[in-house]
Amino acid sequence: MKEIKLKAKEEHRINKGHYWVFSNELEKVDTSIEPGSIVRVLDGKGQTMGTAFFNPHSLISARFIVKGEDPLHKDFIFEHIDNAYSYRKQFNIRRFGRMVYGEADALPGLVIDRYGDYLVIDILTAGMELLKDKIIEAVTKIFKPKGILFKNDSSFRSLEGLPLDPQTVGEVPHEVEIEENGVKYIVALTGGQKTGFYFDQRDNREFMKPYFKDKIVMDLYSYTGSFGITAALNGAAAVWGTDSSAPAVEYANKNAELNGVANICQYRKDDAERLLSAMKKGELPTKPDIVLLDPPAFVKNRKALPQAVNLYVKLNKMALEGLESGGMLATSTCSHHISREIFMDILKQAAGKAGKKVTLIALRGQAKDHPVLLGMPETEYLHFALLQVR
């Protein structure tokens, strides 16, 4: 096994629990090593720090698989996926959810979402790409799927020098029916956003249930309608949903019908900012009691952070301006570039610019099948807050 060595005093972040080594932290980037190779990582004194995937052409040169002197087992792919599944089973997440979440499950660059009898897999690193056959073998034993879709359309693959080429193993239908928190959804596996469904908001949808009774709810960036349909099934008087994607709106309406709440939920293609502006001006039939604001990840890289923060502030300010006293805003961000601290600052700025007295009812994160490593802030990307205008 080849070795790579850190510069002197570059090990502190890793010793605190981080799992990445950046190219500028190495004494030398050995370009003779094949991208995706497994290497031993040494600190500046030559002591073993662990075993990692290595890619000399990536900014993130090494991604740890195991830390310390522990050997890397021959069947580590099976072992780590099986351990990841065992972790989720303790929360009764078995048939629908994220079964593997990259570094948080000691499987850097591997994401596996389970939709009952089907798996959707994202391989994001050269190391995992080289082990694709072992991944297929492992998930076949553990989950016994009827079909596997390798989505492989993430921009992260390009950064690793990997092609964007979706592949299937077995038969994978275009859409499937799943269940979450007692709600049924039809989900598009091929052509849908991300892997098809946002399991990361599961716990937040469940948390919101008691707040919906008799409320008028505006569900912005609704995608397949998961928040709004949860509202309707838990006593909301009316749900107005919108998304800029026509296919997403079509699925939201399908899902409302599937759950018997099509008479309560109305989804249509529209612009979130336009509706927030109309709410403030009193141009809607009546003002919503609750605004659900779950926009996409506007921050694609760190350079885009200031512009994205301004946009998040603007959207939250508009929502708060349009709410009456007692009204609630459930708002999220979903980029690891936005820390909990930045998220809170966004909300403070929005409240100040809206000129409203705002109470923070709850501050939450991603669902338990998206575990957060305490030493690796990149694994914590979803921030969720429930606010009330006073």
Side-chain angles (χ1 to χ4, degrees), residues 280-292:
K280 178 186 174 183
K281 294 175 183 176
E283 295 173 352
L284 299 179
T286 183
K287 283 199 172 185
D289 303 300
I290 298 177
V291 174
L292 303 170

Side-chain angles (χ1 to χ4, degrees), residues 100-139:
V100 170
Y101 177 45
E103 280 78 357
D105 289 306
L107 290 159
L110 181 64
V111 173
I112 302 177
D113 281 0
R114 188 178 190 186
Y115 296 86
D117 293 326
Y118 303 95
L119 300 177
V120 179
I121 299 179
D122 269 336
I123 290 179
L124 308 173
T125 58
M128 282 298 170
E129 186 73 18
L130 293 177
L131 296 171
K132 182 186 285 186
D133 289 345
K134 287 189 176 295
I135 293 168
I136 293 170
E137 181 182 345
V139 299

Side-chain angles (χ1 to χ4, degrees), residues 10-22:
E10 290 287 1
E11 69 275 5
H12 301 298
R13 180 177 48 79
I14 295 164
N15 286 338
K16 289 180 180 179
H18 210 283
Y19 273 67
W20 291 347
V21 177
F22 295 97

Side-chain angles (χ1 to χ4, degrees), residues 203-215:
D203 295 354
N204 295 326
R205 286 188 277 267
E206 181 70 17
F207 165 78
M208 285 296 300
K209 285 181 177 181
Y211 297 95
F212 290 130
K213 187 168 177 57
D214 300 326
K215 298 295 193 296

Side-chain angles (χ1 to χ4, degrees), residues 121-356:
I121 299 179
D122 269 336
I123 290 179
L124 308 173
T125 58
M128 282 298 170
E129 186 73 18
L130 293 177
L131 296 171
K132 182 186 285 186
D133 289 345
K134 287 189 176 295
I135 293 168
I136 293 170
E137 181 182 345
V139 299
T140 299
K141 288 180 181 177
I142 295 168
F143 302 111
K144 299 177 175 56
K146 292 180 179 178
I148 304 169
L149 170 63
F150 287 91
K151 201 75 181 268
N152 292 353
D153 59 356
S154 170
S155 59
F156 290 112
R157 285 180 63 84
S158 299
L159 296 176
E160 287 278 310
L162 300 174
L164 305 181
D165 58 343
Q167 298 173 359
T168 57
V169 177
E171 295 294 325
V172 177
H174 171 60
E175 60 185 33
V176 294
E177 184 179 309
I178 69 169
E179 185 172 334
E180 177 200 84
N181 298 335
V183 185
K184 295 178 181 179
Y185 302 100
I186 298 170
V187 176
L189 299 185
T190 59
Q193 297 175 25
K194 299 294 184 179
T195 68
F197 190 76
Y198 291 97
F199 290 115
D200 52 7
Q201 289 277 24
R202 174 197 295 105
D203 295 354
N204 295 326
R205 286 188 277 267
E206 181 70 17
F207 165 78
M208 285 296 300
K209 285 181 177 181
Y211 297 95
F212 290 130
K213 187 168 177 57
D214 300 326
K215 298 295 193 296
I216 296 173
V217 178
M218 186 157 72
D219 184 10
L220 302 177
Y221 303 99
S222 55
Y223 189 40
T224 53
S226 52
F227 267 109
I229 292 167
T230 298
L233 288 169
N234 286 275
V239 176
W240 309 329
T242 186
D243 198 281
S244 61
S245 164
V249 169
E250 182 180 347
Y251 273 99
N253 283 315
K254 274 186 187 180
N255 289 328
E257 191 169 333
L258 177 66
N259 287 279
V261 292
N263 60 322
I264 299 172
C265 298
Q266 297 180 31
Y267 288 96
R268 68 180 187 183
K269 185 176 182 295
D270 211 327
D271 178 72
E273 287 190 47
R274 190 195 75 79
L275 285 176
L276 287 172
S277 178
M279 181 176 71
K280 178 186 174 183
K281 294 175 183 176
E283 295 173 352
L284 299 179
T286 183
K287 283 199 172 185
D289 303 300
I290 298 177
V291 174
L292 303 170
L293 185 60
D294 188 17
F298 296 132
V299 194
K300 300 302 181 185
N301 53 62
R302 190 165 291 280
K303 290 181 180 178
L305 181 58
Q307 183 179 356
V309 166
N310 289 336
L311 182 51
Y312 283 124
V313 170
K314 178 183 178 182
L315 290 170
N316 284 279
K317 175 186 79 75
M318 293 175 74
L320 292 171
E321 284 175 334
L323 286 166
E324 302 286 0
S325 178
M328 293 182 177
L329 170 62
T331 182
S332 304
T333 62
C334 59
S335 170
H336 74 258
H337 293 292
I338 294 185
S339 64
R340 181 62 58 96
E341 182 181 7
I342 294 173
F343 179 60
M344 286 301 298
D345 188 59
I346 287 170
L347 301 183
K348 291 172 186 176
Q349 286 192 57
K353 291 184 177 184
K356 296 290 183 82

Side-chain angles (χ1 to χ4, degrees), residues 42-103:
L42 309 179
D43 65 15
K45 296 178 180 179
Q47 300 297 310
T48 298
M49 298 196 75
T51 308
F53 289 131
F54 180 68
N55 188 339
H57 308 304
S58 174
L59 175 64
I60 305 171
S61 290
R63 300 168 188 260
F64 281 95
I65 309 167
V66 296
K67 292 279 194 79
E69 299 279 356
D70 290 344
L72 187 64
H73 296 163
K74 181 179 179 182
D75 295 328
F76 81 91
I77 287 289
F78 178 88
E79 290 175 3
H80 290 196
I81 294 176
D82 195 45
N83 287 340
Y85 187 37
S86 295
Y87 165 82
R88 284 147 180 86
K89 284 191 286 190
Q90 69 180 320
F91 305 115
N92 201 29
I93 300 171
R94 297 170 181 269
R95 286 188 55 77
F96 308 112
R98 178 145 295 179
M99 300 294 116
V100 170
Y101 177 45
E103 280 78 357

